[in-house]
Amino acid sequence: MKKLILNTTRNLILILTVLFLLWLLVSWIDIVSHNDPVTGSHEYIQGNAFVLLTEGYN
């Protein structure tokens, strides 16, 4: 039973870490795609990690 709980916890932490890194990657791609000098729309996706960390919720 103890081994099952440890494996489940380890897998959950791994999945959450991968999802967090994926969220950061998608947010970074969104920032890069909207920050070019020609268009520079700054219309980021809702829930962008970097916008949430710098400006907070609106």
Side-chain angles (χ1 to χ4, degrees):
M1 184 69 177
K2 184 177 179 180
K3 188 174 182 177
L4 176 68
I5 293 172
L6 287 176
N7 283 339
T8 304
T9 304
R10 186 179 311 133
N11 289 338
L12 181 62
I13 290 172
L14 178 66
I15 289 170
L16 290 175
T17 302
V18 168
L19 288 174
F20 179 74
L21 292 175
L22 184 63
W23 177 48
L24 288 178
L25 177 67
V26 168
S27 294
W28 180 255
I29 291 170
D30 184 49
I31 291 283
V32 169
S33 67
H34 287 101
N35 262 351
D36 65 294
V38 178
T39 60
S41 65
H42 299 286
E43 294 177 10
Y44 307 119
I45 59 172
Q46 186 177 10
N48 187 307
F50 301 104
V51 173
L52 290 177
L53 290 173
T54 57
E55 298 176 10
Y57 293 101
N58 288 330

